[in-house]
Structure formats: structure tokens, C-alpha cells
Amino acid sequence: MPRADRILPGLPPGRALLDRRGDLRADPGLLPRLLRDPGTRVLRLAGDRAPVEHAGPGRARLVLGAADDADAARLALYLGEAGGTAYVGVVVADAPAPDEDDPGWRTLRQVGADLDPLGAEVLTTTLALANWHATHTHCPRCGAPTEPSLGGWIRRCAVDGSEHYPRTDMAVIVAVVDADDRLLLARGRGFRPGGMSVLAGFVEPGEPLAAAVVREVEEESGVRVTDVTYLGDQPWPFPASLMIGFTARAETTELRLQEDEIEDARWFSRDELVGAVEAGSVHLPGRLSIARKLVEHWFGGPVDAPEVPLR
Ligand SMILES: [Zn+2]
């Protein structure tokens, strides 16, 4: 498999920066000990927001500190270590959510592209795990409450002892390009007016990734594709996806939209896309997203555009 970080610049590096140290998770004393250690770097997550500080133009830094007394009673997640320092995520559910406009508390969508790679990995992992814990409080077998265990990497049922693991939902996302080198962009239901992106959809059980690409593109747009080529992937914890990015060649160009999901779809030449973005009639996905990276991979470089949320 090609080096994803070389094909799509700006994606998380192919090698994790956090050593997750799965070998330490079974020690029930691990988190209590780390929460007492002033050297531990704790990221507090409140709702989907994390504390950040400005670190220069277009740059932000997570505010990481030692645990405080209240953290001992909160859901704590052992993220691993980097450079000899332990990192722990703590989910703050006992305090009012930070104000949406508070510049000191930002979401991953808002700040992810501005963080350093380790900071982005710490926040992404904390958010992904926290999202899973929030919706898996009860055992799917017997309905009894479950408790976090193994440093926050599983939940265990107190009644039948079954163990439940965090899930990641695989989704394919694909830049479809036709014989004239035009890119297919679509607006999903629920996007803001003018918001357009490449096609994406969830992988179904029993389905290879390339088959999911072919199926999703045909279902959503009516276009048949071939030459499905992997370009890179990106954890996307909104709430629990892994976006697996491809390019594919269109064998047909006639559009037949899946109307309950796709409101609009069009083929764009590079000039048409630049014109539409400059005129403000098309808004591209955010800089953080693999969707944007796929558009820019086709385009051949950055497409300068103001940052506007798609949804
Ligand atoms: Zn159970």
C-alpha cells in the first residue's frame, strides 16, 4: 500500500505519534496513578470541545495540564505515551458545557487543521473514545449497565462479564474523475446551500472496500466507475468513522441522483470549480477533511476558499 501521507499531504501521518501502550492497559492502577502524577498530560473534553490556545497565525495548541481532584471521578482514557510523557483524556460531564463562542474551547472540526500532528491525534482519539462511551452505557446482550475497563478501551458488563470494544465505522470517500478530467461533486441533503463534496458512504458488512466505492457512486449518482485506487484515510470521529479515500475513473457521465440523499451533483473542470468557488456559489469541505484533500489532489494544489461548514 502506498504511503498515504505522501499521496495526500496534510492527512495524519501514516505512523502514529502516540505509542498506545496496549500492554499497560490491563493494570487497574494505571489511570489512578497517572492522574496523581503531575507529569501526566491531561486533555479535558467537555461535550465535543477541548481547551485550546492560539499558537500563531493559523496555528493552535491543546491546553494540556496535570489532572485535578475532580478528574479522579470522571471517565478517564489512557491514550498512551509520546516522548516519555503519558497522555490521558478526561471526559468532563459534571460541568456546564463551554459557550459555543468561547475561543478557548473548540471542536475538532474547528481547530483540527491548525493543531500540530500529536495534538490532533490526542484530540481525535479522545473524541472517538468519548463518543463511543457515551452511547454504549449498557450491555447489548442483557441490558445491564457496563463499566469502562482496560484504561477506557473496553466496557465490561457487570452481570454477564461480556466485553465490548470501541467500534469504528468504515466509510469510503471517492474523487470520481471522468475522461475529460472533470471531478464529480455532490450536495448531500442537509448540506448548507452551495456546499458540495465528493461522494461518500458506509461500507456494508461482507463488502470489500473497492466494491463499496463502485456501489455507493452508482447508487448516489448513477455513474459507473472503475480503476478504484486507494489514496489515504482519516479517522473522522463524528461520531465514529474512518474515512477511506479513493479516486476512481468514471465509465459513464450521465447523472441519475439518489434523491433522498443527494440534492445536486455536477461535473466540474478546474476552471469551473475555481469560478464557482470564487463566486461563492460552491463551498468546499473544510481544510481538515480528507474530502478537501481529495478535491485538491485532483486539482493539483490548494483551492483557496473561505472556511464554511458544510452542514
Ligand atoms: Zn450483560
Side-chain angles (χ1 to χ4, degrees):
M1 194 172 276
R3 282 277 303 269
D5 51 334
R6 296 223 176 118
I7 301 175
L8 290 181
L11 281 187
R15 186 180 60 83
L17 300 173
L18 276 174
D19 180 349
R20 296 184 172 215
R21 293 302 306 266
D23 56 316
L24 302 182
R25 293 175 188 167
D27 172 6
L30 174 70
L31 278 168
R33 200 163 57 241
L34 289 176
L35 290 175
R36 285 194 305 270
D37 181 342
T40 301
R41 299 292 88 183
V42 171
L43 175 69
R44 289 195 188 81
L45 191 71
D48 59 354
R49 288 168 190 275
V52 298
E53 60 192 10
H54 188 66
R59 290 173 53 219
R61 196 166 32 228
L62 293 179
V63 178
L64 302 165
D68 62 28
D69 291 345
D71 291 333
R74 293 169 171 155
L75 172 62
L77 313 164
Y78 176 58
L79 305 175
E81 61 188 36
T85 298
Y87 287 80
V88 171
V90 166
V91 179
V92 179
D94 51 71
D99 194 85
E100 267 195 24
D101 301 324
D102 187 341
W105 287 85
R106 306 268 81 183
T107 66
L108 176 61
R109 279 185 200 272
Q110 289 171 327
V111 85
D114 297 338
L115 292 173
D116 60 280
L118 176 61
E121 189 176 326
V122 165
L123 177 52
T124 301
T125 306
T126 301
L127 180 62
L129 268 178
N131 286 344
W132 173 74
H133 281 283
T135 52
H136 291 78
T137 54
H138 288 72
C139 176
R141 296 189 186 180
C142 75
T146 52
E147 287 295 330
S149 184
L150 295 189
W153 286 91
I154 69 165
R155 295 185 72 93
R156 190 176 278 123
C157 175
V159 172
D160 62 25
S162 59
E163 294 181 347
H164 306 282
Y165 289 79
R167 56 180 286 171
T168 296
D169 299 327
M170 280 183 292
V172 291
I173 181 163
V174 52
V176 178
V177 178
D178 77 359
D180 296 326
D181 208 21
R182 296 180 303 170
L183 177 70
L184 179 61
L185 293 179
R187 183 166 76 248
R189 298 258 166 224
F191 283 21
R192 74 187 303 280
M196 297 196 92
S197 186
V198 292
L199 294 175
F202 287 109
V203 180
E204 296 189 338
E207 186 174 49
L209 296 176
V213 169
V214 171
R215 174 184 57 75
E216 279 290 342
V217 173
E218 183 151 21
E219 279 178 5
E220 295 190 341
S221 71
V223 172
R224 282 205 316 274
V225 296
T226 184
D227 293 349
V228 175
T229 305
Y230 169 84
L231 288 184
D233 53 78
Q234 179 182 43
W236 196 243
F238 308 107
S241 295
L242 175 66
M243 307 301 296
I244 307 162
F246 296 88
T247 186
R249 189 163 58 80
E251 290 184 307
T252 63
T253 56
E254 191 192 336
L255 299 176
R256 198 178 56 249
L257 306 187
Q258 186 180 31
E259 290 191 351
D260 55 343
E261 282 196 35
I262 304 294
E263 230 170 60
D264 183 21
R266 272 180 279 158
W267 294 99
F268 287 87
S269 68
R270 288 176 183 76
D271 287 346
E272 286 166 346
L273 184 63
V274 168
V277 167
E278 282 177 355
S281 61
V282 166
H283 301 294
L284 293 176
R287 280 187 301 135
L288 173 67
S289 65
I290 191 171
R292 178 66 165 264
K293 309 281 194 291
L294 288 168
V295 171
E296 295 189 336
H297 176 262
W298 161 79
F299 190 77
V303 184
D304 290 324
E307 193 79 357
V308 179
L310 271 191
R311 286 172 194 273

